[in-house]
Amino acid sequence: MSRRSLLKAGGALMTVLVSPVALGADTKVLAVRVWPAQDYTRVTLEGGDALRYTAQVVKNPERLVVDLEGVEFNSVLQSLPSKIIDADPYIKLIRAGRNRPGVVRLVVELKGEIRPQIFTLAPVGNYGHRLVLDLYPTQPVDPLLALIEKSTPENAAAGNTNPNPELAKADPAKIDPAQPKLEITRQTIEITPDKRTETIQKTRVTRLITIALDPGHGGEDPGAVGRAGTYEKHVTLSIGKRLKALIDNEPNMRAMLTRDADFFVPLGQRVQKARRVEADLFVSIHADAFIKPEARGSSVFILSERGASSTAAKWLAQKENAADLIGGINVGVRDSHLARTLLDLSQTATLNDSTKLAKAMLSEIGGINTLHRGAIEEASFAVLKAPDIPSILVETAFISNPEEEKKLADEDYQDKMAAAMLRGIKRYFAKNPPLAKSKLAMLE
């Protein structure tokens, strides 16, 4: 065979080898997920390779248009419209289809104006490459509004769960998180040096105790998964809602959930929400796993910057602190104020109060489940770093233990755990009343 013929044959072989790859060069979308919530709605597209895109907001009517470049229009993308529910606060519907050769267009029809954040995530955990569309309202949801229904001690005592219509219209920025009740009494006193007698008003301000409840994980971040398929994120939300109902039924307390549905909340935002409502306590709820399935029992953690109290505690903290990577945060958006406050861990009084709360909680949940160690544990959990709020993290049981997974999935156990946690909170306040935030003023 001549040299020219050999080269032609080699070229033909290369064509055979390369063509199939070229024909399959389009990136496949492997999964699409939608997480609707009042805080924001998240749409996630997961691909086998990095997803290239362009996006723009279109007015009249409000739409978000996203062009996916080099993406195959497959059955997964075709299923995206069916994942939108009528109750979604922000999305009316999604249309998906081929726009032009090599480009798939998504048109998100909106229920109103939004503030989108669109970003990509590198593979992590069980996830491949992700493209995230976070659709936020133009006016961020304020956690104070969640407390309006129990705005005054009078409403709480009367069992009034209907929000005041006028208060509901109020500017959240003007709502006092303490929601004070003014008790005005008149008192006659003698004033020197002229011995005049005058009547003055003494105004005492009392308020509801506010508890921030933090159901761990959510949305893209499932948390630990038991052998029988129980998701930690579902267990923590269920217990959190049960505990909130119990707290709200107390005449002098109210609770705020950092998430009230299945959606992802970054660790820093969980702390920020608690500080926004000036919470008296922060209780993070978890049901974690360990590398050994025989690990069992409930635990209560407080913050430690000196190191973990055990190897298991260190492992759990590292796993929990990776939640932002799994759930997916937009690293282009930072809260500098929060970043500064989280560095201020010198409030010894706050850590001391956290220890007292942990002891009270441990004594109560020990009657519901075996304690993992029988003592307070310490680790560097990111959600415990509020500098001015006593904070604890409760591991309700090990979901990686088959016996305890059954407990965690049982509604009766969830009720008992929530009731025990309420008793722990009340035990703490019985010895440590929240006097620091009470206000006493003398007005003429």
Side-chain angles (χ1 to χ4, degrees):
M1 182 182 293
S2 68
R3 178 181 176 83
R4 184 179 297 275
S5 299
L6 185 61
L7 289 173
K8 285 183 178 180
L13 179 61
M14 287 296 292
T15 301
V16 171
L17 293 175
V18 172
S19 293
V21 178
L23 289 173
D26 285 349
T27 298
K28 287 187 177 181
V29 174
L30 306 175
V32 292
R33 296 177 291 273
V34 181
W35 309 101
Q38 287 297 327
D39 286 41
Y40 71 108
T41 289
R42 168 170 288 191
V43 179
T44 304
L45 295 90
E46 185 177 351
D49 298 299
L51 296 170
R52 294 179 292 117
Y53 70 95
T54 58
Q56 61 177 327
V57 175
V58 181
K59 300 289 186 179
N60 301 317
E62 298 289 331
R63 287 158 291 159
L64 175 65
V65 178
V66 180
D67 286 341
L68 304 174
E69 302 172 9
V71 169
E72 174 188 328
F73 185 61
N74 58 10
S75 59
V76 175
L77 283 170
Q78 289 175 338
S79 72
L80 184 55
S82 67
K83 296 184 180 294
I84 305 303
I85 61 174
D86 292 339
D88 190 304
Y90 306 107
I91 299 178
K92 185 184 299 181
L93 59 88
I94 290 181
R95 291 182 279 113
R98 295 184 182 88
N99 177 255
R100 57 187 184 275
V103 176
V104 171
R105 171 163 291 185
L106 307 181
V107 178
V108 184
E109 296 191 15
L110 305 165
K111 293 181 177 179
E113 288 188 57
I114 56 140
R115 181 174 53 85
Q117 291 184 18
I118 304 175
F119 54 96
T120 57
L121 296 169
V124 63
N126 295 325
Y127 291 125
H129 295 270
R130 284 177 288 174
L131 172 63
V132 177
L133 316 176
D134 282 348
L135 311 182
Y136 288 90
T138 53
Q139 293 296 322
V141 174
D142 195 307
L144 280 175
L145 294 178
L147 301 177
I148 289 177
E149 291 188 1
K150 199 174 184 185
S151 58
T152 66
E154 294 93 333
N155 285 346
N160 181 6
T161 58
N162 294 321
N164 184 321
E166 294 304 316
L167 188 57
K169 298 176 184 176
D171 181 353
K174 298 179 181 178
I175 298 174
D176 181 358
Q179 298 293 353
K181 167 190 175 183
L182 297 180
E183 295 178 346
I184 300 177
T185 58
R186 293 188 179 275
Q187 178 182 356
T188 301
I189 64 172
E190 191 176 82
I191 301 178
T192 55
D194 56 0
K195 303 297 183 180
R196 286 185 298 108
T197 299
E198 292 186 4
T199 298
I200 69 168
Q201 289 184 338
K202 182 174 70 173
T203 303
R204 183 180 298 275
V205 180
T206 59
R207 62 185 177 83
L208 292 169
I209 295 170
T210 302
I211 314 296
L213 301 177
D214 176 48
H217 309 282
E220 288 287 285
D221 174 23
V225 182
R227 186 178 298 177
T230 306
Y231 279 51
E232 181 183 4
K233 68 175 182 178
H234 297 321
V235 170
T236 60
L237 181 59
S238 183
I239 294 176
K241 286 183 174 181
R242 293 167 196 270
L243 180 53
K244 173 177 166 54
L246 293 176
I247 291 174
D248 286 346
N249 201 42
E250 293 290 318
N252 63 333
M253 292 184 184
R254 61 185 176 180
M256 181 274 293
L257 290 168
T258 59
R259 69 176 181 97
D260 57 5
D262 187 10
F263 65 99
F264 171 69
V265 182
L267 299 175
Q269 285 187 21
R270 294 170 186 263
V271 178
Q272 189 178 35
K273 284 185 174 186
R275 300 189 77 239
R276 178 69 180 95
V277 300
E278 295 187 9
D280 295 281
L281 299 178
F282 181 91
V283 180
S284 193
I285 305 169
H286 290 260
D288 221 323
F290 192 53
I291 51 179
K292 297 179 180 179
E294 59 267 24
R296 64 186 303 122
S298 302
S299 304
V300 180
F301 288 82
I302 61 172
L303 178 69
S304 171
E305 289 296 292
R306 301 184 305 274
S309 56
S310 67
T311 302
K314 181 179 180 180
W315 188 87
L316 288 172
Q318 290 174 341
K319 187 172 179 295
E320 293 298 345
N321 292 345
D324 281 353
L325 294 176
I326 303 295
I329 60 170
N330 184 1
V331 296
V333 177
R334 297 285 188 184
D335 187 329
S336 57
H337 173 72
L338 181 62
R340 288 196 303 272
T341 61
L342 292 184
L343 292 175
D344 185 7
L345 301 176
S346 61
Q347 278 78 358
T348 304
T350 300
L351 291 175
N352 288 340
D353 284 342
S354 297
T355 302
K356 294 175 184 177
L357 173 60
K359 287 181 179 178
M361 187 67 71
L362 200 66
S363 66
E364 293 295 338
I365 66 174
I368 304 302
N369 191 31
T370 303
L371 295 179
H372 182 61
R373 291 189 67 196
I376 298 170
E377 299 212 53
E378 300 181 32
S380 184
F381 288 95
V383 291
L384 301 183
K385 293 186 177 182
D388 49 356
I389 306 174
S391 303
I392 61 172
L393 185 147
V394 179
E395 293 288 358
T396 54
F398 276 89
I399 206 168
S400 53
N401 182 301
E403 292 181 8
E404 294 208 330
E405 180 185 4
K406 290 179 181 178
K407 286 184 178 181
L408 290 168
D410 181 69
E411 292 186 0
D412 184 56
Y413 178 82
Q414 293 178 5
D415 283 334
K416 290 178 180 178
M417 181 58 67
M421 292 172 72
L422 173 63
R423 291 195 299 271
I425 291 170
K426 293 174 70 174
R427 178 189 285 249
Y428 166 79
F429 280 120
K431 294 184 178 180
N432 305 276
L435 299 177
K437 291 185 180 179
S438 293
K439 304 171 185 177
L440 181 63
M442 299 294 286
L443 304 178
E444 290 189 6

